[in-house]
Structure formats: structure tokens, C-alpha cells
């Protein structure tokens, strides 16, 4: 099995304690190897998704019976838009743990596969009521996105209207919720309201998880250009000056971030999971996955272009 280089300073101790506890079911040397690969997934998931995906595949081959490994592989596949593969891994992790935590991202995978109606159906399932507040807000974002996928813009706006949106308290999800609402309003040509909500998103977005400030500047007719002209210097500086021309709109959706120290990266093609190496105990890992009717149903689904 091809291994990927791992820096010497990565020990595997950096992973979340719950993941470390799951890995205790493995032999010590194998557990350390898997942990180091999971650390690399967490380190790279935001900056180099393909590399993170590669490390997740190594971990999966080594320990496909561990739920944390299946979850990490799912998020790495999700980050690279391998939605069918991500959905299969998330389903496997859910079967192993019985947790509903992955329900929103599973629904978003359905969106990625071009099945917004399935995502919307999942938003109405009993599992949503078992989610914590953050999970319920995430599910609301996915449902609104599904409405927009189906051309139901007004319904998407209504879906996002909630006590969490109206609250003045700032929570980890506040900036993304306000941003999604502002973007939906703008798509409906309600520019004045959209500007108000982009401004509110900026107030809540202390760590720059959205490009709300850029969107707000664009609505105000501001474009950032290089301070130095091409004739004066070959390389443009990092700073900029404002002009009165409107800029280009940024992307409408933002992905959720996970703590780099957590080996479970977090909050929409598919390739089937590779088998464990011949002779490995994990060759037969999750054989029962093949019996799952949901998985068989998805095997014929095409990947999103």
C-alpha cells in the first residue's frame, strides 16, 4: 500500500481524545499510524483538499472498521466534491455509531448529487429533532439550498427565517446563516434588505469564514484595485485602493470549518471506496455495508459534474 509522507513532528497525539479512544481497538503501532494520517487530513482539509483526501484513503485502508476513520474519509471526499463516496462513508459511520450528527452533511451530499428533493425530504425527518442547535441550523441551511436548487427562491427565504436568524446573540453559525439569508434576498432582487443582512453577517463574522465584507463592498459600488500600476512595478502589492466601480460577486455558499486539531474535519462525483489491502484484517471491514439498501440504491447514481 502506497504511503504518503508525514512530517516528523506529527505524532498522532494531536487528534481529538474521542478519536484516540476509538483507535485503542487497534494494535498500538497501527493506531499510531492511523492517527498520524488523520492528523494530516485535519491539517490539509481547508488548504489542500486533494492531499487531505489522499491521507484519508490511507487511513481508510488501514482501519476501515473505525467510525472516526470513515467519518474523516467522508469529509475529505465531501471537500473534493466526491459526493457519492462521501455519502457512503457518512452512512457507514452513522451505522457504526448510531449518531445523527452527520445528517445535515448527508443531506447536502444529496444536493451535490443533483437530488435536492431527497435533501428536502431529509429535512423533514425525525432525525432533525435529535440534532443539537448547531445541527438544526445547518439542516436549515441545507434545506434552503435545496429550495434554491429547485428554483423555489421565495421558499428558500422563508426557510431561513427563524429565531436563530432574528437573534442578536452571535453563535458559531450566525455569520453563515445571515450570509445565506442575505444572498437569497439578493437573488430575489431585494437589494436593500440584502445589504442590511450582509452588514449583519460582517458584524458576526469575526474569523472571516464568509466573504460578506466583499459582498457588502460590491453592493456599495466599491472595487479594490492594485495601488501600484503595472507600469510602475512588475508585482502588485497586497494592499488596494477603493474606486466607485462595482466589483465581481463572490461565491454564494460557504463550507463549514473544523478545528485543525480534531481528526474529524467538519459545515454539498462519487467514487467507490477502495478495498483494504489483500491480507489485511480490514479487507472484510464493513462487509455489511454492501447489504444496506440505501447504499445499493446509490451505487447507480452518477457523480455530479
Amino acid at each position: 500500500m502506497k504511503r504518503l509522507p508525514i512530517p516528523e513532528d506529527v505524532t498522532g497525539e494531536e487528534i481529538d481524545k474521542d478519536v484516540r479512544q476509538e483507535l485503542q481497538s487497534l494494535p498500538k503501532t497501527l493506531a499510531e499510524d492511523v492517527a498520524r494520517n488523520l492528523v494530516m487530513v485535519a491539517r490539509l482539509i481547508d488548504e489542500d483538499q486533494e492531499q487531505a483526501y489522499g491521507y484519508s484513503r490511507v487511513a481508510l485502508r488501514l482501519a476501515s472498521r473505525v467510525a472516526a476513520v470513515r467519518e474523516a474519509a467522508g469529509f475529505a471526499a465531501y471537500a473534493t466534491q466526491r459526493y457519492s463516496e462521501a455519502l457512503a462513508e457518512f452512512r457507514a459511520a452513522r451505522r457504526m455509531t448510531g449518531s445523527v450528527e452527520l445528517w445535515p452533511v448527508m443531506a447536502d451530499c444529496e444536493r451535490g448529487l443533483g437530488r435536492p428533493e431527497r435533501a428536502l425530504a431529509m429535512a423533514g425527518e425525525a432525525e432533525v429533532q435529535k440534532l443539537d442547535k448547531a445541527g438544526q441550523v445547518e439542516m436549515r441551511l441545507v434545506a434552503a439550498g435545496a429550495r434554491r436548487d429547485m428554483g423555489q427562491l421565495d421558499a428558500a427565504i422563508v426557510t431561513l427565517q427563524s429565531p436563530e436568524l432574528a437573534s442578536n446573540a452571535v453563535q458559531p453559525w450566525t455569520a453563515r446563516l445571515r450570509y445565506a439569508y442575505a444572498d437569497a434576498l439578493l437573488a430575489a432582487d431585494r437589494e436593500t434588505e440584502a445589504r442590511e443582512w450582509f452588514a449583519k453577517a460582517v458584524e458576526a463574522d469575526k474569523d472571516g469564514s464568509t466573504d460578506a465584507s466583499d459582498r457588502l463592498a460590491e453592493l456599495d459600488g466599491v472595487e479594490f484595485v492594485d495601488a501600484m500600476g503595472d507600469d510602475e512595478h512588475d508585482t502588485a502589492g497586497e494592499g488596494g485602493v477603493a474606486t466607485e466601480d462595482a466589483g465581481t460577486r463572490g461565491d454564494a455558499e460557504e463550507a463549514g470549518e473544523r478545528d485543525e486539531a480534531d481528526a474529524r474535519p467538519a459545515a454539498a462525483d462519487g467514487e467507490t471506496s477502495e478495498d483494504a489491502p489483500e491480507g489485511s484484517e480490514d479487507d472484510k471491514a464493513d462487509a455489511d455495508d454492501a447489504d444496506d439498501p440505501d447504499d445499493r440504491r446509490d451505487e447507480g447514481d452518477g457523480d455530479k459534474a
Side-chain angles (χ1 to χ4, degrees):
M1 174 175 52
K2 182 179 178 181
R3 301 297 184 91
L4 298 175
I6 298 177
E8 292 184 3
D9 66 326
V10 175
T11 66
E13 294 296 322
E14 301 90 340
I15 62 173
D16 182 84
K17 63 180 182 180
D18 292 334
V19 178
R20 196 158 55 244
Q21 185 173 358
E22 282 191 60
L23 295 178
Q24 288 179 358
S25 62
L26 303 174
K28 186 174 185 299
T29 302
L30 179 58
E32 291 174 354
D33 199 359
V34 174
R36 295 180 74 211
N37 278 280
L38 291 180
V39 171
M40 294 306 297
V41 174
R43 283 191 175 187
L44 296 169
I45 194 71
D46 293 324
E47 58 188 56
D48 191 337
Q49 290 81 13
E50 283 295 335
Q51 273 285 84
Y53 175 77
Y55 284 103
S56 76
R57 302 307 298 173
V58 175
L60 189 60
R61 292 180 193 134
L62 292 171
S64 60
R65 291 183 183 275
V66 178
V69 172
R70 303 302 290 264
E71 184 176 330
F75 276 110
Y78 177 82
T80 57
Q81 300 184 1
R82 293 173 169 91
Y83 297 116
S84 182
E85 183 178 326
L87 185 57
E89 298 300 343
F90 289 142
R91 283 176 173 164
R94 182 169 180 262
R95 282 194 298 272
M96 291 175 178
T97 63
S99 172
V100 298
E101 179 183 345
L102 296 171
W103 196 254
V105 72
M106 288 169 63
D108 209 34
C109 285
E110 295 286 7
R111 285 186 62 210
L113 288 167
R115 303 190 297 237
E117 68 285 348
R118 290 195 188 181
L120 208 55
M122 290 178 69
E125 295 290 342
E127 282 82 354
V128 176
Q129 302 305 316
K130 301 175 185 177
L131 293 167
D132 61 14
K133 181 61 68 176
Q136 290 180 6
V137 170
E138 195 65 34
M139 193 71 243
R140 189 177 292 276
L141 288 167
V142 173
R147 290 289 189 188
R148 291 188 65 170
D149 294 342
M150 298 166 70
Q152 301 173 4
L153 188 53
D154 290 339
I157 292 173
V158 172
T159 298
L160 292 169
Q161 293 171 346
S162 61
E164 293 81 17
L165 179 68
S167 175
N168 291 324
V170 175
Q171 304 292 345
W173 61 77
T174 302
R176 294 179 59 235
L177 183 59
R178 292 177 179 178
Y179 183 98
Y181 188 59
D183 189 66
L185 289 169
L186 188 60
D189 295 324
R190 294 162 61 175
E191 186 172 315
T192 301
E193 294 171 89
R195 190 199 178 286
E196 175 188 353
W197 282 98
F198 275 127
K200 290 182 177 181
V202 170
E203 292 175 0
D205 193 4
K206 304 303 181 184
D207 58 359
S209 62
T210 73
D211 65 347
S213 59
D214 293 339
R215 302 292 298 278
L216 184 60
E218 290 159 10
L219 286 174
D220 288 339
V222 176
E223 179 184 9
F224 290 96
V225 298
D226 295 331
M228 301 173 62
D230 291 338
D231 293 337
E232 297 180 19
H233 202 284
D234 291 337
T235 304
E238 294 180 358
V241 294
T243 72
E244 291 304 314
D245 296 327
T248 304
R249 283 175 49 183
D251 293 335
E253 298 181 357
E254 294 290 332
E257 297 184 351
R258 298 282 287 187
D259 190 336
E260 179 177 283
D262 191 335
R264 303 187 187 194
D269 77 9
E271 299 176 9
T272 57
S273 299
E274 300 180 30
D275 295 332
E278 186 173 355
S280 166
E281 180 182 349
D282 286 318
D283 270 339
K284 301 177 182 178
D286 257 7
D288 60 325
D289 289 354
D291 296 328
D292 190 300
D294 286 335
D295 289 347
R296 289 201 303 274
R297 179 194 63 198
D298 286 312
E299 285 176 2
D301 291 328
D303 298 339
K304 183 180 177 184

